[in-house]
Amino acid sequence: MRQSWIEKRKNDSVRTQLHYARAGIITEEMQAVANVEGLSGELIRSEVARGRLVIPANIHHLSLSPMGIGVAARTKINANIGSSSLASCIEEEIEKTLVSIKYGADTIMDLSTGGDLDAIRCAVIEHSSVPIGTVPIYQILHDVQGDIKNLTIDSMLEVMERQARQGVSYFTIHCGFLLEHLPKVAKRKMGIVSRGGSLMASYMMHYHKQNPFYEAFDEILAICREYDVTLSLGDSLRPGCLADASDEAQLAELKVLGELTLRAWEKDVQVMIEGPGHVPMNQIERNVKLQKELCHEAPFYVLGPLVTDIAAGYDHIASAIGAAIAAWKGVAMLCYVTPKEHLGLPNAKDVREGILAYKIAAHAADIARGRIGARDRDDAMSDARYAFDWNRQFELALDPDRAKEYHDESLPQEVFKEAKFCSMCGPKFCSYKISQEIVSKHASGESLT
């Protein structure tokens, strides 16, 4: 279907969603987003036009189902996948892609750093109906044999155009970290924890030159404009621990990202802004407000944030707490964290755990913000629970397989079909059952004493 949409617009000089929105045109992608969100096409168009909502939809990703990221839409979640130099397998990345989509990821980032990166990316895009994002510096460094001193602007741009031709819908580029920010990093407890940020720091320190992504920003915009690749402006100086949260290094970079946002919009390129990181709960709302102010309300896309530094093995939970607060306060998309964060490369099982933790956080935030229809599923679940309709409960659960698995551990299939209780309370102490008996007696006029 999307192929026909793209074909119809093939002779247009500019084919970005932002360009069409500013021209007053509701594209098929905008209408598709509106239909999914339960909003009007005109509202989606106006939000895209003002830069407050993005639709990452590379014109070469024909199997894509369009989705919108912005405060007018429901909170989205991203799942990170990818190979490493120690573990590289196309089949495993395809499995992670399919698991991500099955359990509700709205976008997927391929962060592969090892193996045949082009082949892995092509396979991931081919098997995905959701937008695929990348961090181009990973392949840029890979292609120069891991030596940052061999990096050139021409090699950077070649990799980015190659990925855009493959169908990547958004790039994370570390363009707001400038040479003059380096002294601020020295004041930190943990320095730079972003891989892309650390690579940019190595380049700037070696050559004592400005960040090459910043220097080549206009050329990058030209690539994004041609293929409608959304820019996700990366937070190279995100805090990697609570002690570094909201420091001058982080905020100095954020200010530059706001300036680059305006430059991107001038070229009809869609933009979202990436955010922290490790942030105490009491600082999350302030971080969201600062981003909106400095970055002109461009959609905010945050990693976590993690609200404690000591949850190794459970960082998906520590970060989901921060993610729920951030989304409640106005963040548009949440980048999941898996139980393996800080410890190792996640496998398909870890991907599932991370996605579900973040689906809960995003959904809780949508309820708190009063989004249209956000609580409908919860109300339906309450009805199913009270009616002991187990199959309906499984259907409504965010993870139906896990819900059924846990239930059936204690109540086998042949028992649960008719059971008016679960194994936690049993038939004699089930509060639902007792409540129903009380209501029934009251309705029939029996004494409740």
Side-chain angles (χ1 to χ4, degrees):
M1 182 185 295
R2 186 157 188 258
Q3 186 166 359
S4 65
W5 302 348
I6 300 299
E7 182 69 18
K8 185 179 72 173
R9 304 193 293 257
K10 69 178 181 180
N11 294 322
D12 294 354
S13 58
V14 182
R15 292 187 286 173
T16 72
Q17 295 297 314
L18 181 54
H19 170 76
Y20 291 119
R22 287 173 161 175
I25 298 170
I26 300 173
T27 63
E28 290 88 348
E29 287 89 348
M30 294 177 205
Q31 190 58 56
V33 170
N35 294 343
V36 169
E37 299 289 345
L39 301 169
S40 72
E42 174 55 27
L43 176 61
I44 296 299
R45 185 206 65 78
S46 65
E47 289 291 294
V48 173
R50 68 184 288 182
R52 205 162 65 170
L53 186 143
V54 298
I55 301 175
N58 186 310
I59 59 173
H60 287 177
H61 191 171
L62 301 181
S63 61
L64 178 73
S65 296
M67 51 78 67
I69 302 168
V71 290
R74 64 181 175 81
T75 306
K76 303 303 189 299
I77 69 164
N78 169 70
N80 288 339
I81 64 169
S83 64
S84 76
S85 58
L86 300 177
S88 172
C89 174
I90 290 179
E91 289 71 24
E92 185 171 356
E93 299 314 314
I94 291 173
E95 181 187 7
K96 292 177 189 176
T97 300
L98 298 177
V99 167
S100 297
I101 294 170
K102 174 180 179 180
Y103 289 106
D106 298 291
T107 75
I108 297 171
M109 290 202 77
D110 174 16
L111 306 184
S112 294
T113 57
D116 187 337
L117 303 189
D118 287 323
I120 290 171
R121 188 179 312 106
C122 283
V124 167
I125 293 171
E126 180 183 349
H127 286 83
S128 178
S129 58
V130 303
I132 300 300
T134 63
V135 182
I137 188 59
Y138 296 166
Q139 179 157 24
I140 293 166
L141 189 66
H142 175 275
D143 288 0
V144 295
Q145 290 74 51
D147 189 346
I148 197 71
K149 295 190 292 296
N150 293 330
L151 184 151
T152 66
I153 286 179
D154 286 343
S155 66
M156 286 171 41
L157 296 175
E158 188 280 324
V159 166
M160 296 180 76
E161 181 148 19
R162 193 193 321 164
Q163 293 190 1
R165 286 197 307 268
Q166 288 178 316
V168 171
S169 286
Y170 65 98
F171 290 147
T172 289
I173 59 171
H174 300 84
C175 51
F177 176 20
L178 305 184
L179 188 63
E180 52 265 40
H181 297 157
L182 282 169
K184 302 179 190 300
V185 175
K187 302 175 184 179
R188 288 183 151 187
K189 178 182 282 291
M190 284 192 64
I192 302 170
V193 298
S194 159
R195 283 190 289 187
S198 64
L199 293 170
M200 288 301 96
S202 296
Y203 178 93
M204 290 188 286
M205 290 183 69
H206 178 76
Y207 289 109
H208 202 71
K209 288 183 178 180
Q210 190 54 276
N211 183 328
F213 283 104
Y214 182 81
E215 294 281 271
F217 195 65
D218 287 337
E219 291 90 337
I220 293 169
L221 291 179
I223 294 171
C224 293
R225 179 184 171 101
E226 181 177 355
Y227 298 94
D228 198 7
V229 176
T230 297
L231 278 181
S232 185
L233 301 183
D235 52 340
S236 311
L237 300 180
R238 68 175 180 265
C241 62
L242 300 184
D244 294 337
S246 310
D247 69 352
E248 58 178 328
Q250 176 194 335
L251 300 183
E253 180 185 31
L254 188 62
K255 184 177 180 180
V256 177
L257 297 184
E259 296 166 2
L260 295 175
T261 296
L262 296 180
R263 287 175 58 183
W265 286 346
E266 288 175 3
K267 300 295 184 181
D268 289 326
V269 172
Q270 301 183 93
V271 177
M272 54 185 172
I273 308 296
E274 296 189 14
H278 291 239
V279 181
M281 288 171 58
N282 60 303
Q283 293 183 26
I284 292 174
E285 183 174 11
R286 175 172 174 259
N287 271 258
V288 176
K289 287 181 176 178
L290 282 171
Q291 185 274 343
K292 289 181 179 296
E293 176 186 339
L294 296 174
C295 298
H296 321 288
E297 297 189 284
F300 203 12
Y301 164 34
V302 300
L303 176 69
L306 287 86
V307 296
T308 178
D309 297 337
I310 59 171
Y314 299 90
D315 276 333
H316 60 310
I317 297 173
S319 62
I321 293 169
I325 297 170
W328 173 31
K329 297 303 179 181
V331 161
M333 185 160 77
L334 307 170
C335 184
Y336 86 164
V337 171
T338 76
K340 288 273 184 66
E341 185 75 9
H342 302 113
L343 302 173
L345 186 71
N347 57 27
K349 176 179 178 294
D350 302 315
V351 168
R352 175 183 179 181
E353 295 295 326
I355 288 174
L356 267 298
Y358 273 68
K359 291 295 286 186
I360 294 168
H363 183 66
D366 286 345
I367 293 171
R369 297 192 67 183
R371 297 189 190 279
I372 297 172
R375 212 187 68 188
D376 291 353
R377 190 168 172 179
D378 300 77
D379 292 343
M381 176 65 91
S382 298
D383 292 338
R385 282 177 174 157
Y386 200 61
F388 299 103
D389 186 342
W390 296 108
N391 285 324
R392 180 62 174 155
Q393 290 180 55
F394 303 150
E395 178 186 329
L396 289 165
L398 286 173
D399 186 346
D401 297 336
R402 179 66 54 81
K404 187 174 187 305
E405 172 193 340
Y406 282 176
H407 176 271
D408 290 358
E409 280 181 0
S410 49
L411 282 177
Q413 181 75 18
E414 63 273 12
V415 175
F416 99 80
K417 289 179 182 178
E418 306 298 329
K420 301 297 182 184
F421 56 88
C422 73
S423 64
M424 179 176 285
C425 298
K428 295 184 181 295
F429 294 97
C430 176
S431 56
Y432 297 166
K433 185 176 181 182
I434 294 169
S435 295
Q436 290 170 5
E437 290 172 352
I438 292 171
V439 171
S440 177
K441 288 180 180 179
H442 179 65
S444 65
E446 289 186 44
S447 171
L448 297 181
T449 59

